[in-house]
Amino acid sequence: MNSLILPNFSPKCKSYVSIAKDVSWRGLHTKRKGFQKHNGYVKIVFVTTKGEMNRMTTHQGILDFVSEATALLQPTHVHWCDGSEKEAETLIDLLIQEGKAIRLNPTLRPNSFLFRSDPSDVARVENRTFIASKTKRDAGPTNNWMDPKELKATMTSLYRGSMKGRTLYVIPFAMGPLRSPFVKYGIQLTDSPYVVLNMRYMTRMGFEVIQAIQPHMSFVPCLHSSGYPLEVGQMDPSWPCAPIDQKYITHFPEERLIWSYGSGYGGNALLGKKCFSLRIASVLARDEGWLAEHMLIIKITNPEGKVKYFTGAFPSACGKTNLAMLISTLPGWKVETLGDDIAWLRIGKDGRLYAMNPEFGFFGVAPGTSEKTTPIAMPTSSKDTIFTNVALTDGGDVWWEGLTKPAPSHLVDWKGQDWKNSPTPAAHPNSRFTVKISQCPALASEWESPEGVPISGILFGGRRSDTIPLVMESHSWQHGVFFGSIMASEITAAQITNDYGKVRRDPFAMLPFIGYHAGDYFAHWLSMERHTEAALLPKIFMVNWFQKDENNQYIWPGFGENIRVIKWIFERCDGQVSARDEAIGYLPYQKDLDTSHLSLTNHQITRLLDVNPIIWRKEVDSIETYYQMFEEELPNELLQELSDLKARLLK
Ligand code: O2Y
Ligand code: MN
C-alpha cells in the first residue's frame, strides 16, 4: 500500500487532485482508494504493487537510487516526471496558487511566468561548490576540495528529512539528442517544482528519456534538495532555500555523482547544466577521450553558400550570447545558432572535431538583452518563457535594465517592491529567462544532428582594454592550447565582485567548471593532437572586441559588426587569406579585415591589430606568475610555448 500525503490539501485544490490522477495516467497503475485525515494532512490512499511501480522503468539502479533517497529525504510524496504539457500546467497552477509564481499577461507574453528568488539565492555560489575527488591533488588548484567521506557525512545529515512535507520529483533527463550515440543520461531528484519546469526547457526530460535508459546503461545520479523541510503547519516561503553556509554544490567525480543542497537557483539547482555537462562531463571526457567545454556553437554561411561551424569560449560579460545569436551586418553573411553555452567535442570517424550541444534550452541573462544588443533573444523569449528575478510592469509584462530607455515610470522590482526610477536596479543583474532552444528563430536546422557538426575553428575570447589584438590565430594546436590556458578578462562594473578593472585569468572560460586538476585538463587538450592528423583539427583563434583608446572609448564597434572578424576567421580556415606572422600569433593584414562602411580611421585599425612588445613582456611576466599555481602539473609544452613567446618578443 502506498500513500500520498498532501499538506494544506483542500478538496477544492484541483492541482493536487490532478497530480494524483496523473499517477495512474503515467502508467504507475495506482488506484485511488479514498481520502483519510492524517495529522492535519489529507492522505490520499493508493494501492500500488512494486511490480506495477516498475513499469515506469525496470532499471534497478534508478529504482534503488530513488528508493534510497526517498528513505533519507522523507518526502511526503514521490512524483515521477513524464515531461508532459499537462504535468507542467499542473505544476505551474500549483505554484501560482501557492503564490510562488506569477502568470504574465497572456496577450503580451503567452504561457510565461515570473519567479522571484530569495534575495540570498541569486547566482551560482563558487565558494560553496566542491569537487570531492578522493585526493585533494585531483581537484587541483582551481577547485574547492573536500574529502568525499567527510562531505557525504555532512550532507547526509543535512539531507535527512529535508523533504518533509514536500514532494520529491524524479526527473529523468538526457544531455544530447536521444538518438545521438553520445547522449548521456541523468536522474535528478528535487523538491523544487520550479527546477522541474526549468529542467523541462533546459534538457530533454521525461517519459521518453526514462524509456531510453536501458537496464545496462549508466546514468548520473543528481540529488537536489532546497534545504527547507516543512513541518506540519509551517509556512512555506515563496522561494525555499538554506542559509549560505549550509549550501553545498558538490561533485564526486570518481562516482560520477552530484549532490546539491540549499539553493534553488540556476547552475546550483539545474544540475544538467554546469554540474553535469561541464564538471562531471569534463571528467568523463578526460577518461573517454573527448572534450566537455563552456562554448557556444555557431554556423556561418558565406555569400557563396559555403558553410563552416565554429565554437567559442568566452568568460562572462564578453558578449557570448550576442555572438551565439549574431545578426550579421555584412550582406550575404549569415549566422545561425546551435548552442549558446556548452559544447561536447569529439573526433569523428573522418578525423575532424565534431561539436554537439548537450542542452535543450537557454538560461539567458536578462539585463542588457535588447533589440540593439541581442535582437534574436527578443522573439526567442516572447512566449513559453520562465523569467526569474526580472521586474514586472503594470501591464503584467517583464522589464530589465537595458531593455528600453527610459524605464517604465512604475515597476515592481525583483524583490516584489514598488519601483519608480529608484537608484537600485529593478531586475537583479543575474536575472534570467529560460526557454527551449527551438524557439530561437536563428536556430540552425542541424542543431540536433546526432554526430554533432564538424568544427573549422575555435574562438577564445576575453575583455581586455589592451594587450590582445582584435583577432589572432595560433601557430599550431599546441600554441592554441596555450591561448586557451592564458585566457583572461577584465572584471566589469556589472559583475558581482569588488575587483572592478582587474584582469582575472579564466582558462578556456572553464575556471569554475573543470571537474579535476586544471594541469591535467591542459594536458588532455594537448593530447587531442595525438588522436588525429594536425591538419584535421580546427584552427584556434583569440578575439578581443574590447580594446579601448586613450579616451577610454571602445575602438571596435562590436555587436553585429563582429561578423567582420568572423569573416576573416572563415577565410583563414578556407585558405583564402594570408596573415602576418607575429611573435604572438598570425594577425590579419589590414586589407583582409573588412572594415567597409565603418567609421574607423587607419590609426584605429592599426591599433586594433597592433602587437605592443612592451605590453606583451608585462603579459609574459603575468602569465609566468599565474602558471606557478599549477606547479609541477603544468604541461611542459605550455612552459615551452611561454619561453618561445618570450624569445620571439625579444627579437
Ligand atoms: O547564476 C547562475 O546560476 C547562472 S550561471 C550561467 C547560466 C547560463 C549560462 N552560463 C552561466 C555561467 O555562469 O557561465
Ligand atoms: Mn556559461
Side-chain angles (χ1 to χ4, degrees):
M1 177 94 90
N2 268 22
S3 63
L4 164 68
I5 305 172
L6 303 172
N8 311 321
F9 177 85
S10 111
K12 283 189 198 132
C13 176
K14 291 203 176 63
S15 55
Y16 282 124
V17 173
S18 55
I19 283 180
K21 279 184 189 153
D22 272 358
V23 173
S24 52
W25 184 80
R26 280 193 321 278
L28 294 186
H29 294 266
T30 52
K31 200 170 163 201
R32 206 172 73 185
K33 291 268 284 188
F35 300 102
Q36 286 173 9
K37 277 262 178 202
H38 174 81
N39 287 346
Y41 289 87
V42 169
K43 185 172 172 183
I44 303 182
V45 182
F46 292 94
V47 181
T48 48
T49 66
K50 202 154 188 267
E52 282 165 338
M53 282 290 283
N54 289 358
R55 289 219 181 165
M56 187 87 174
T57 178
T58 53
H59 194 297
Q60 201 53 47
I62 298 177
L63 295 170
D64 290 348
F65 174 47
V66 175
S67 67
E68 281 162 26
T70 305
L72 176 67
L73 300 157
Q74 299 163 34
T76 309
H77 176 48
V78 176
H79 177 89
W80 292 70
C81 297
D82 62 19
S84 66
E85 197 69 48
K86 186 167 174 255
E87 178 182 75
E89 278 167 20
T90 305
L91 290 179
I92 197 72
D93 285 350
L94 173 70
L95 286 160
I96 291 172
Q97 270 176 31
E98 291 179 345
K100 293 178 176 175
I102 295 168
R103 185 183 295 278
L104 297 171
N105 183 334
T107 325
L108 303 172
R109 201 74 68 164
N111 194 34
S112 298
F113 305 92
L114 169 63
F115 288 82
R116 297 190 184 118
S117 79
D118 187 278
S120 69
D121 197 27
V122 291
R124 286 189 296 107
V125 280
E126 284 178 24
N127 61 343
R128 305 296 309 162
T129 300
F130 298 89
I131 298 295
S133 42
K134 283 186 186 147
T135 66
K136 187 170 190 318
R137 184 266 166 219
D138 283 349
T142 59
N143 286 306
N144 299 313
W145 176 81
M146 266 185 89
D147 173 69
K149 282 199 189 112
E150 193 189 316
L151 182 58
K152 277 196 176 168
T154 305
M155 291 187 74
T156 300
S157 27
L158 289 169
Y159 277 136
R160 186 163 295 113
S162 71
M163 290 195 187
K164 275 188 186 161
R166 299 196 181 278
T167 296
L168 183 161
Y169 298 92
V170 181
I171 310 174
F173 67 96
M175 301 315 302
L178 286 183
R179 62 202 167 90
S180 166
F182 310 122
V183 64
K184 302 265 179 207
Y185 298 106
I187 301 286
Q188 176 163 351
L189 309 186
T190 181
D191 55 1
S192 164
Y194 165 84
V195 165
V196 176
L197 293 170
N198 276 269
M199 286 290 285
R200 186 167 169 264
Y201 284 171
M202 294 304 299
T203 68
R204 290 136 179 114
M205 177 275 238
F207 189 71
E208 254 186 284
V209 175
I210 202 155
Q211 294 292 295
I213 313 178
Q214 300 294 307
H216 65 278
M217 289 180 176
S218 63
F219 66 97
V220 173
C222 306
L223 190 48
H224 170 249
S225 163
S226 306
Y228 202 106
L230 276 182
E231 299 302 335
V232 173
Q234 189 179 347
M235 271 283 291
D236 192 8
S238 59
W239 185 277
C241 63
I244 182 75
D245 59 338
Q246 280 178 30
K247 291 189 208 291
Y248 285 92
I249 319 302
T250 72
H251 311 75
F252 301 86
E254 290 93 354
E255 285 180 78
R256 283 81 161 107
L257 173 69
I258 300 166
W259 280 10
S260 166
Y261 181 90
S263 167
Y265 200 87
N268 304 333
L270 313 179
L271 301 184
K273 197 170 180 54
K274 306 299 185 179
C275 297
F276 185 155
S277 293
L278 290 178
R279 297 195 191 95
I280 292 295
S282 64
V283 176
L284 296 170
R286 175 198 62 191
D287 296 349
E288 296 169 6
W290 51 282
L291 299 165
E293 298 302 322
H294 190 200
M295 287 180 176
L296 58 80
I297 313 172
I298 47 175
K299 170 184 180 182
I300 308 289
T301 310
N302 78 358
E304 288 74 53
K306 208 169 204 181
V307 166
K308 291 192 189 298
Y309 302 93
F310 297 90
T311 60
F314 293 80
S316 43
C318 288
K320 187 175 170 194
T321 307
N322 173 269
L323 183 59
M325 299 183 192
L326 197 77
I327 294 190
S328 160
T329 55
L330 284 181
W333 287 82
K334 190 159 117 191
V335 185
E336 288 164 276
T337 308
L338 289 99
D340 76 326
D341 198 38
I342 297 175
W344 287 356
L345 300 118
R346 290 168 196 271
I347 293 175
K349 290 190 192 95
D350 60 1
R352 302 183 67 189
L353 193 66
Y354 283 69
M356 174 185 100
N357 176 6
E359 297 194 282
F360 196 57
F362 298 137
F363 189 62
V365 71
T369 302
S370 71
E371 283 296 348
K372 182 176 174 237
T373 60
T374 331
I376 298 282
M378 308 311 285
T380 304
S381 57
S382 63
K383 60 167 186 154
D384 300 335
T385 304
I386 299 168
F387 293 92
T388 309
N389 286 346
V390 299
L392 181 67
T393 69
D394 292 349
D397 201 3
V398 285
W399 190 87
W400 49 80
E401 278 64 24
L403 181 63
T404 57
K405 263 202 173 111
S409 55
H410 176 260
L411 293 163
V412 178
D413 73 9
W414 70 277
K415 290 183 178 169
Q417 306 292 320
D418 274 330
W419 187 97
K420 289 182 185 163
N421 273 316
S422 320
T424 51
H428 187 276
N430 194 37
S431 52
R432 298 277 165 172
F433 58 88
T434 320
V435 288
K436 285 187 185 168
I437 286 183
S438 53
Q439 287 190 192
C440 176
L443 193 63
S445 56
E446 59 276 54
W447 73 284
E448 293 203 275
S449 159
E451 312 286 333
V453 290
I455 298 301
S456 296
I458 296 173
L459 279 59
F460 292 131
R463 173 184 285 270
R464 302 291 296 269
S465 49
D466 53 32
T467 315
I468 308 290
L470 181 63
V471 56
M472 60 176 173
E473 180 191 324
S474 71
H475 290 131
S476 63
W477 179 260
Q478 178 172 303
H479 187 221
V481 176
F482 173 72
F483 277 8
S485 75
I486 63 162
M487 270 174 66
S489 205
E490 284 158 23
I491 312 275
T492 67
Q495 285 171 290
I496 317 156
T497 155
N498 295 326
D499 293 336
Y500 171 56
K502 277 197 193 153
V503 172
R504 176 190 190 245
R505 296 274 164 205
D506 188 354
F508 296 80
M510 282 284 284
L511 188 69
F513 307 125
I514 303 172
Y516 58 101
H517 196 298
D520 296 347
Y521 168 85
F522 298 154
H524 179 56
W525 260 85
L526 290 165
S527 78
M528 297 306 282
E529 204 175 15
R530 295 196 284 276
H531 300 306
T532 188
E533 282 172 49
L536 293 174
L537 281 169
K539 289 182 180 295
I540 300 182
F541 301 84
M542 183 92 107
V543 298
N544 175 24
W545 326 126
F546 301 99
Q547 282 189 80
K548 287 186 174 172
D549 63 17
E550 316 59 55
N551 302 317
N552 208 29
Q553 300 298 308
Y554 290 114
I555 308 173
W556 180 249
F559 301 113
E561 306 299 357
N562 293 341
I563 186 66
R564 296 164 187 272
V565 176
I566 306 292
K567 178 183 173 193
W568 184 79
I569 290 173
F570 187 110
E571 289 171 351
R572 278 296 290 166
C573 295
D574 218 25
Q576 288 181 41
V577 289
S578 54
R580 288 153 45 202
D581 188 359
E582 296 282 346
I584 59 172
Y586 295 121
L587 270 87
Y589 289 109
Q590 262 205 37
K591 65 173 176 56
D592 293 326
L593 181 70
D594 186 344
T595 52
S596 54
H597 312 294
L598 290 182
S599 56
L600 283 173
T601 63
N602 263 347
H603 172 73
Q604 285 175 312
I605 301 170
T606 310
R607 176 76 187 267
L608 286 166
L609 301 176
D610 185 33
V611 184
N612 182 327
I614 301 166
I615 295 184
W616 265 94
R617 272 180 222 129
K618 278 196 203 140
E619 181 72 0
V620 164
D621 290 345
S622 151
I623 297 168
E624 258 168 7
T625 310
Y626 150 72
Y627 267 180
Q628 283 167 12
M629 73 191 279
F630 305 108
E631 298 177 342
E632 297 304 302
E633 320 299 332
L634 186 78
N636 282 334
E637 291 91 329
L638 297 184
L639 278 177
Q640 188 62 52
E641 285 296 336
L642 184 60
S643 82
D644 290 352
L645 170 62
K646 210 170 172 177
R648 288 195 301 266
L649 286 167
L650 288 172
K651 271 192 200 155

